[in-house]
Amino acid sequence: MSVNFDYQRPERLGMPEAVLCEGKSFQHIQDILSELSERNDYPVLFTRLEQSQFEQLPESLRQRLDYDELSRTAVLNGQLPKRWGKVAVVTAGTSDLSVATEAVRTLTFSGVETSLVADVGVAGIWRLMERVKDIAEHDLIIVVAGMDAALASVMGGLVGKCVIGVPTSVGYGVAADGTTALNSMLASCGQGIVVTNIDNGFGGACAALRILSMADSVFYREDG
Amino acid sequence: MSVNFDYQRPERLGMPEAVLCEGKSFQHIQDILSELSERNDYPVLFTRLEQSQFEQLPESLRQRLDYDELSRTAVLNGQLPKRWGKVAVVTAGTSDLSVATEAVRTLTFSGVETSLVADVGVAGIWRLMERVKDIAEHDLIIVVAGMDAALASVMGGLVGKCVIGVPTSVGYGVAADGTTALNSMLASCGQGIVVTNIDNGFGGACAALRILSMADSVFYREDG
Amino acid sequence: MSVNFDYQRPERLGMPEAVLCEGKSFQHIQDILSELSERNDYPVLFTRLEQSQFEQLPESLRQRLDYDELSRTAVLNGQLPKRWGKVAVVTAGTSDLSVATEAVRTLTFSGVETSLVADVGVAGIWRLMERVKDIAEHDLIIVVAGMDAALASVMGGLVGKCVIGVPTSVGYGVAADGTTALNSMLASCGQGIVVTNIDNGFGGACAALRILSMADSVFYREDG
Amino acid sequence: MSVNFDYQRPERLGMPEAVLCEGKSFQHIQDILSELSERNDYPVLFTRLEQSQFEQLPESLRQRLDYDELSRTAVLNGQLPKRWGKVAVVTAGTSDLSVATEAVRTLTFSGVETSLVADVGVAGIWRLMERVKDIAEHDLIIVVAGMDAALASVMGGLVGKCVIGVPTSVGYGVAADGTTALNSMLASCGQGIVVTNIDNGFGGACAALRILSMADSVFYREDG
Amino acid sequence: MSVNFDYQRPERLGMPEAVLCEGKSFQHIQDILSELSERNDYPVLFTRLEQSQFEQLPESLRQRLDYDELSRTAVLNGQLPKRWGKVAVVTAGTSDLSVATEAVRTLTFSGVETSLVADVGVAGIWRLMERVKDIAEHDLIIVVAGMDAALASVMGGLVGKCVIGVPTSVGYGVAADGTTALNSMLASCGQGIVVTNIDNGFGGACAALRILSMADSVFYREDG
Amino acid sequence: MSVNFDYQRPERLGMPEAVLCEGKSFQHIQDILSELSERNDYPVLFTRLEQSQFEQLPESLRQRLDYDELSRTAVLNGQLPKRWGKVAVVTAGTSDLSVATEAVRTLTFSGVETSLVADVGVAGIWRLMERVKDIAEHDLIIVVAGMDAALASVMGGLVGKCVIGVPTSVGYGVAADGTTALNSMLASCGQGIVVTNIDNGFGGACAALRILSMADSVFYREDG
Amino acid sequence: MSVNFDYQRPERLGMPEAVLCEGKSFQHIQDILSELSERNDYPVLFTRLEQSQFEQLPESLRQRLDYDELSRTAVLNGQLPKRWGKVAVVTAGTSDLSVATEAVRTLTFSGVETSLVADVGVAGIWRLMERVKDIAEHDLIIVVAGMDAALASVMGGLVGKCVIGVPTSVGYGVAADGTTALNSMLASCGQGIVVTNIDNGFGGACAALRILSMADSVFYREDG
Amino acid sequence: MSVNFDYQRPERLGMPEAVLCEGKSFQHIQDILSELSERNDYPVLFTRLEQSQFEQLPESLRQRLDYDELSRTAVLNGQLPKRWGKVAVVTAGTSDLSVATEAVRTLTFSGVETSLVADVGVAGIWRLMERVKDIAEHDLIIVVAGMDAALASVMGGLVGKCVIGVPTSVGYGVAADGTTALNSMLASCGQGIVVTNIDNGFGGACAALRILSMADSVFYREDG
């Protein structure tokens, strides 16, 4: 299968170039990697690239990639220039770290300064209270949580900044597929929380990029 | 339809005698009321008795009943003797008050001292923090909450006492029927929270009665 | 029932003071209105106030309210000071106007300049294409759509600005309750689209306010 | 298990003879293949034949089959005579190619001229716009799409030809099982789009065959 | 609200101009009717216009409309020119007649010859067998059925023509909302059956119009 | 784990002794087999015993068992005495044979004469019509069908005998887990069809045994 | 609408002639009644005829009908001849009586001796234990229960006769629509319980008629 | 990843220290074990530790752990001091033993005297009746049951003590994921039964610990 990339898209929308590996055959992934690895000036992020797939790649390609096992992401051709804005990615539990790290890696790749605040779920609310002041100093907060996802509601009540909820499929029984976390965030008693698909750390990061790009308008109009 | 009551059941299980009016015809409710109103010594609680039904009853029956519109409950023949234990019924929002009051009225009818702590949902966590010490002095806590029901998880992390979650059908969209509140409580990151059916304030109160009856064992064995 | 308002909350979070009337008794709504109408300097938004409820209010209260039937919103004590930012609220069909107008009214009340772009659903994609340039000049786009909600995905591919999807319960059969529109937006092939609960025009507007408040950080840090 | 074929069915209904291998034991598939391979004049299509199953077949059978890994289809005894009509099979993303190719292979096997137009999902609407004129020149369009399946609605608004939607199980979270794509197509704002079961590329092709057979009536009545 | 019609659309897509009244306010419907009634040469179909709404219209508008209570449809400004093709609309039970008649009225309005074959559900298979030959002489068959919707599968096995299934919300318990009928048709053991949304008689008719328009290609290419 | 059998139960209820192996550990299954194999006069049926489990058993136990791979059933200590009644087990497709054979083996083990009529699904209704007279001569009919399960409805309209529907998990997409087949049978337009859990061939056979035992009452009362 | 009855059907299948009024227009019901009331020798049962509909009928028709409000059934032209067999209809609670009475009335109309055993739900298992011996003397047991429907499982373990479960929509929250009762019966730990659609008392009775007709075979073959 | 334990939490809430291994990487589990094994005085319970994971641990760690395969639990550093109260854990079938043993092991680890009463499901109600008196002598009853979970309702009607229902995912078809057992317990006709998430034996035990801690209040207040 020939690869047919639209090299202008990142510029047009301001989104990073990203390849979702899930649902693609190994051959297809390898073809894409081969083509893109020939363009040193075109940074690309690969998401949901399983470790077993990474390890099957030829040594030459593997060496070109900055691969992270926890988030299943790989970066090719370096990262994008630094952009305005600071983002906090906050998780309820350690099992949410895989999704949270996908968000952190996407933002860092895109040039955004990002902090990871792990394990501040509401079952031990004091852990969150100790960190709230730090978190509130960021421009935007991504809350990554599974099960009851109560952290999103509490965060929305503590901080007036934009809160993006990323529900995770952590848990079992009624929680297992992340639907409860998703619905809990959507039905949150906290005003103005917005939500992405389950386990979509990449999507949460892209939403942050769209929002942070608003700063350009501010500068522009201030200048004007 | 003749009425066929099992007058020994309350004694056998220690549960209050209660008649669920929902799903029964008005004629049937009136027949039950007529028979029971002839036994002054047999206190009975009627639940889910709509105001419109109450108002259709003959004046003589209405005067015998202590009716509460918010909880749709009516008490006949006075309340049961005082029992050991103090219960806090805690609500997230004002829309949860109907279900919460059903629980309060059931417990008060059953002789249990009960406090209502309203409107301490986690979107404004400071409201809860101000009340936590008071709440923790009760023997058992019933949390009544709809939408994301995050209050149950937070409470379970703040207090080591028994926490019974009663999800409510408050909200709309993904929340409307209470399923999200129910699943959120069941999947709670707080350890050992137990849950009843949606809007089942009466059931939450009955669970409390079962639990408080444990005190009798304590006394008994201490005596022995 | 006494009314217990937290008059500092709007300042703390930067959200408008709002009262959700759905799920509250008429008496309760009237009590809240009476108390708040005594404070001329405290603007409040009432959402989901049915026209039949509005018409039952005493003449003196009705005259104090700016009521809109389509969005079921009422404004008391004037609107908030003008804030930075321009928002476009875009709808797929005319049946989405009720929810869209709730968003428009919430933003206007909060001091944000807001445009309504109605009836540009993708079944007639040329209608959207004619308006894209205008829409893209706003700082943030709220897409209000029911049924297949395909407008959110198309918009996300045309514009790099923040896109908030508000699914509506418009439609019947598999669409009727808005779940398909919600899931379609969440599973969107457009990167970085964020979503609110079904029919939650108010929530979409609050999310916009959280995001636009980011501009303050920009100014502040530029100054610093 | 003996094989009991109804060799007259294809002629009666005008549908191709096809064997769904999913849910059948390997032994059963092999028995069917053995019997049918003895009839050179009876073309048969095998669907959902896994590569691992194909590779376990005896060399003699494998050589008789035209097997395609991507679509998991195999053709035995050549293809059917050419029929009137041209079909476009259009996909939103590369992950939809497996299902789309099942449709293409079924149509080609059945004698229908078929074009595959891949990767024109609405997140980059310009890709679709460049191809619309070509697509519209076909007699019938099969849209294969997962996740939000917005392509079906957009296509239905651009072209007046018959549009058959085949939802796919591509995606994760709320999208993963294809239900969102299915419901989105069924609730489409585009008028008169019809839909098949999830991942049913074969079914979409069969529907096309039923529809194209209408041309015979046209000729017949024109002649008459 | 001003009315903003796209008078070129019917010609562009070959679909009839239709206004879905469900979900629109009465005022909005009346505005649309007023504008369109001034254009004698522009035939329009109104669907899901409740009888109570029709009766509230001014006498002058009512007289202009050909209203049918069973299907809740109204025709303004006469019907469209006759088109090629004959359609059979077949129902399982008498309760499916409302949806079936919406399909029949839409097709008749659009100039297509249409037969209604009612009450041939499979619980009495002989009723269907007596009519199969007649039904098979049509160019396209719309099967309208609720509950188990088994009629669609049986029809698909008896006739090689295009079969469009329109599931209905007839029934109660597990059937009530039409989901079982919908899924049963989608999972049908009959090859190549296509399906619309629940109760969407209008959509089934529009699909038929798209398909019948294929005849134009046949003529055109035969001529060419 | 010691084995604690209730050897009187089969006699009390007239049901065969059966052990469901699914959900039990291999060690537990082996313990039960060892104990029961010591009682030659106590026939037992093992259901859902996977072939891989069977093959791990010691040779001595394997030789005692009559194992059938398709139905995953094993019989120990011979079959039960012959009982009154003849049952037809009818399947829609070949993929339903596994479940159907579980029913046939359970009935045969229980002493009931049973016929298997395979592959008479309604997509080719003539196959069923040829067999109806034979089927109707049985005392009871078990219909085993997946996907749309239309066979149950058609059978119920053709035959006045008891029809027990056993839905199967055959199919994919909306059909895959058997829920559509289950609901379709429950919502059947055929009067008086009764249904078991999905894939529960054993349960369908047990229901037949309960029903056939009615014959004993007939004899008894005739005698009396 | 003309009425087109198949007067031979009852004889063919041995089922009673029954008209389901739900989903039919009042005019249609009245037409059917008028035609059938002219045939004195043709007994018919009307199900789900609302009291408000019954009361709108002309006096002459009302006098011909034996109407029962609780079960919403009406009998025209007397009942069918007495048939072999005795059925027990057993209910868990008083709210199940409406559905249970539909079953009782259908069976009595069909000439079968039927006993109603009400209010023996398992929350007070002693009530059931007192009646088990009586119940077991019937040839067939119909268990009508909502909420957890545990009565069906307990009954199946106590009695070896055929047990038909009819789940009801009694209850609220997770129980309200009867799905929990339905699934609980289908997943019952009692072997060989069969189930009908929710609230389908008529269907349960028809299943009983199919089963009791088996007695004819017994007599016939004994005679032979 | 460094381990960051809150060693004061057990004391604060009175809950045992427990580590849920499900959803954590093997490396993470091993890190936690290493750190905690250095503190001899800090007893910890590990839940959902798969046998295959346990066996991969270094010999030195394995020897420190008291591992149980059935419940997938491991205890490190001995158990907690004895506490007041006796708990009965009651199961419906042998397949529920895995979940039940998780509850028993958690309670025993926490110093609570616990009895396991297995295999008393209601399909053979006499098995339960023989044990009821013993069970009722405990202070609290945990009912572990899958499929229809009818045991919880029956138990709630027989005993006035606190009944905690733990639904299990035992069963197949409509039962398989435990949702039917969960809903059946929540909708139970037994008053005051409370419920945990599916398969959550640990959660049931924690709820018991919260409840039994109430005894401390009794002693304290009696003393006071």
Side-chain angles (χ1 to χ4, degrees), chain A residues 17-89:
Chain A
E17 181 63 75
V19 176
L20 173 67
C21 299
E22 192 176 271
K24 293 199 175 61
S25 68
F26 180 71
Q27 187 55 54
H28 196 179
I29 294 169
Q30 197 169 342
D31 291 350
I32 294 172
L33 265 163
S34 297
E35 173 167 338
L36 293 176
S37 67
E38 286 164 21
R39 298 187 45 147
N40 286 329
D41 57 338
Y42 193 73
V44 187
L45 176 73
F46 293 82
T47 61
R48 305 212 169 193
L49 178 65
E50 295 298 333
Q51 187 166 23
S52 59
Q53 293 175 312
F54 173 72
E55 283 166 0
Q56 282 176 61
L57 291 172
E59 175 68 15
S60 59
L61 280 177
R62 279 217 310 281
Q63 286 188 337
R64 292 286 303 277
L65 292 170
D66 163 16
Y67 181 72
D68 174 67
E69 178 186 344
L70 183 61
S71 61
R72 297 177 293 161
T73 52
V75 170
L76 180 73
N77 300 330
Q79 66 172 65
L80 296 162
K82 196 153 163 28
R83 297 171 59 156
W84 184 91
K86 286 186 299 180
V87 173
V89 176

Side-chain angles (χ1 to χ4, degrees), chain F residues 188-202:
Chain F
S188 171
C189 52
Q191 290 172 344
I193 293 170
V194 285
V195 185
T196 70
N197 194 1
I198 297 161
D199 288 338
N200 195 359
F202 173 73

Side-chain angles (χ1 to χ4, degrees), chain C:
Chain C
M1 193 180 309
S2 78
V3 185
N4 186 13
F5 262 82
D6 171 6
Y7 292 111
Q8 278 70 50
R9 195 167 63 94
E11 198 172 335
R12 216 160 33 217
L13 291 181
M15 296 282 109
E17 181 63 74
V19 176
L20 172 67
C21 298
E22 193 176 270
K24 292 199 176 62
S25 69
F26 180 70
Q27 187 56 51
H28 196 178
I29 295 169
Q30 197 169 342
D31 290 351
I32 293 172
L33 265 165
S34 296
E35 173 167 337
L36 293 175
S37 67
E38 285 164 21
R39 297 188 47 148
N40 285 329
D41 58 337
Y42 193 74
V44 187
L45 177 72
F46 293 80
T47 61
R48 306 216 168 188
L49 178 66
E50 295 298 332
Q51 186 166 24
S52 59
Q53 292 176 313
F54 172 72
E55 284 166 0
Q56 282 176 62
L57 290 173
E59 175 68 16
S60 58
L61 281 177
R62 283 217 307 281
Q63 286 189 337
R64 294 286 303 278
L65 292 170
D66 162 17
Y67 182 72
D68 174 65
E69 178 185 343
L70 182 61
S71 61
R72 297 177 295 161
T73 51
V75 171
L76 180 74
N77 300 329
Q79 66 172 64
L80 295 164
K82 196 151 164 30
R83 296 172 62 157
W84 184 90
K86 286 186 298 180
V87 173
V89 177
V90 183
T91 81
T94 52
S95 303
D96 302 316
L97 278 172
S98 166
V99 174
T101 310
E102 190 186 64
V104 171
R105 293 259 300 171
T106 302
L107 287 165
T108 306
F109 166 74
S110 305
V112 175
E113 188 184 334
T114 309
S115 320
L116 178 63
V117 181
D119 232 348
V120 292
V122 302
I125 195 86
W126 53 89
R127 292 181 303 181
L128 176 60
M129 290 310 193
E130 291 167 5
R131 307 295 299 273
V132 157
K133 200 155 159 284
D134 281 3
I135 292 168
E137 279 169 8
H138 293 77
D139 298 296
L140 190 149
I141 299 152
I142 297 176
V143 174
V144 181
M147 302 197 291
D148 55 2
L151 180 57
S153 295
V154 174
M155 187 68 77
L158 290 170
V159 180
K161 300 290 172 66
C162 173
V163 175
I164 297 171
V166 179
T168 68
S169 55
V170 166
Y172 57 88
V174 300
D177 59 2
T179 303
T180 293
L182 171 66
N183 288 340
S184 181
M185 284 176 170
L186 286 166
S188 171
C189 51
Q191 291 172 343
I193 294 171
V194 284
V195 185
T196 71
N197 194 1
I198 298 161
D199 288 339
N200 195 359
F202 172 72
C206 287
L209 292 173
R210 285 179 181 268
I211 290 166
L212 295 177
S213 78
M214 205 182 71
D216 304 338
S217 310
V218 184
F219 297 147
Y220 179 82
R221 274 191 255 160
E222 290 308 301
D223 292 352

Side-chain angles (χ1 to χ4, degrees), chain B residues 181-203:
Chain B
L182 171 67
N183 288 341
S184 182
M185 285 177 170
L186 285 166
S188 172
C189 50
Q191 291 172 342
I193 293 170
V194 285
V195 186
T196 70
N197 194 0
I198 297 162
D199 289 338
N200 195 359
F202 172 73

Side-chain angles (χ1 to χ4, degrees), chain A residues 122-123 125-126 129 147-148 150 153-154 157-158 174-175 180 183-184 186-190, chain B residues 122-123 125-126 129 147-148 150 153-154 157-158 174-175 180 183-184 186-190:
Chain A
V122 302
I125 195 88
W126 52 89
M129 290 309 191
M147 301 196 289
D148 55 3
S153 294
V154 174
L158 289 171
V174 301
T180 293
N183 287 341
S184 182
L186 286 166
S188 171
C189 50
Chain B
V122 302
I125 195 86
W126 53 89
M129 290 308 191
M147 303 195 288
D148 54 3
S153 294
V154 175
L158 289 170
V174 300
T180 293
N183 288 341
S184 182
L186 285 166
S188 172
C189 50

